[in-house]
Amino acid sequence: MMSVVTGGSGSGKSAFAEDRVLSLGEGRRIYIATMYPFDEESKRRVDRHRRMRAGKGFETVECYTGLNEVLLPSDGIVLLECMSNLTANEMFQENGAKEHTVEEILEGVREIRSQVRHLVIVTNEIFSEAMPYEGETRTYQEYLGKINQELARMADEVVEVVYGIPVYHKKHTMEEIPEEASREEGGICS
């Protein structure tokens, strides 16, 4: 099964996504961390997320670019956080995919999905701001928008977290999803 969890900054989406992973039964819980700790603020955020996961049985895999290079166990229950960081990394890091960011990330998600039992992806809702952007920021929004739309299409469930409250835009129960269907499309990371 694949879930996409979205919401604005501070919405509670990370906590919801972790709880969703914990609700998906037994298996190796793997957290794919995409935030590159480039400054003090990002280091504090990484530390806060590590504390949130403490004692929950997660193994952490750091993946800033090249999601399709990650090898995962077939009993894996994966939390990929967060798509907005991965998109920025692929666009702006030296070894990133640059203009091929959308294709690179979607290929990686498909590869991961093909390897594991469950995949929960966190992304940000950044599209309701009234301010128009230009240049690289506008390109970033376009790429993330395309990625989010395709992830929602691929997903078995799409949840927006608003003020800590999950709002389901697409929902399937586990009984409705045959095991083969949860592995139809795939992904990997380095």
Side-chain angles (χ1 to χ4, degrees):
M1 186 189 71
M2 180 173 148
S3 300
V4 174
V5 179
T6 188
S9 179
S11 65
K13 64 187 174 293
S14 294
F16 176 85
E18 284 182 19
D19 288 345
R20 186 68 181 114
V21 167
L22 297 175
S23 76
L24 291 171
E26 295 301 315
R28 286 178 59 189
R29 294 182 187 127
I30 299 166
Y31 182 92
I32 299 177
T34 64
M35 178 178 273
Y36 185 80
F38 62 90
D39 64 5
E40 286 306 312
E41 171 62 21
S42 61
K43 290 175 184 174
R44 282 192 296 274
R45 293 183 75 181
V46 166
D47 187 54
R48 181 175 61 88
H49 280 261
R50 284 184 181 142
R51 287 192 314 271
M52 283 175 59
R53 291 192 309 275
K56 296 179 181 176
F58 281 96
E59 301 170 39
T60 300
V61 174
E62 294 178 0
C63 180
Y64 310 124
T65 61
L67 189 61
N68 62 349
E69 297 172 15
V70 174
L71 297 175
L72 299 164
S74 61
D75 68 338
I77 302 172
V78 174
L79 174 55
L80 171 58
E81 185 163 8
C82 141
M83 195 51 60
S84 55
N85 290 325
L86 184 60
T87 301
N89 296 343
E90 288 290 1
M91 285 180 67
F92 301 116
Q93 284 195 8
E94 187 176 317
N95 62 336
K98 311 292 187 219
E99 66 274 3
H100 304 288
T101 291
V102 174
E103 299 83 6
E104 176 78 14
I105 288 174
L106 292 174
E107 176 187 326
V109 168
R110 287 183 186 100
E111 179 61 30
I112 287 176
R113 188 175 181 197
S114 72
Q115 294 179 52
V116 301
R117 283 187 31 229
H118 302 293
L119 173 60
V120 177
I121 300 172
V122 176
T123 191
N124 280 308
E125 197 297 300
I126 62 165
F127 306 100
S128 56
E129 296 179 12
M131 179 197 273
Y133 290 100
E134 297 178 2
E136 291 178 331
T137 303
R138 181 67 189 143
T139 302
Y140 169 78
Q141 286 180 310
E142 288 175 11
Y143 286 1
L144 185 59
K146 288 176 182 177
I147 291 165
N148 286 348
Q149 287 177 39
E150 183 61 19
L151 293 177
R153 189 196 67 71
M154 292 167 51
D156 300 299
E157 67 180 15
V158 177
V159 184
E160 180 181 12
V161 180
V162 182
Y163 307 121
I165 301 168
V167 178
Y168 285 81
H169 294 283
K170 185 176 182 182
K171 184 174 183 177
H172 293 280
T173 64
M174 294 303 293
E175 296 78 36
E176 295 173 325
I177 304 167
E179 184 65 25
E180 309 81 57
S182 70
R183 297 178 185 247
E184 281 179 0
E185 304 183 35
I188 283 186
C189 187
S190 62

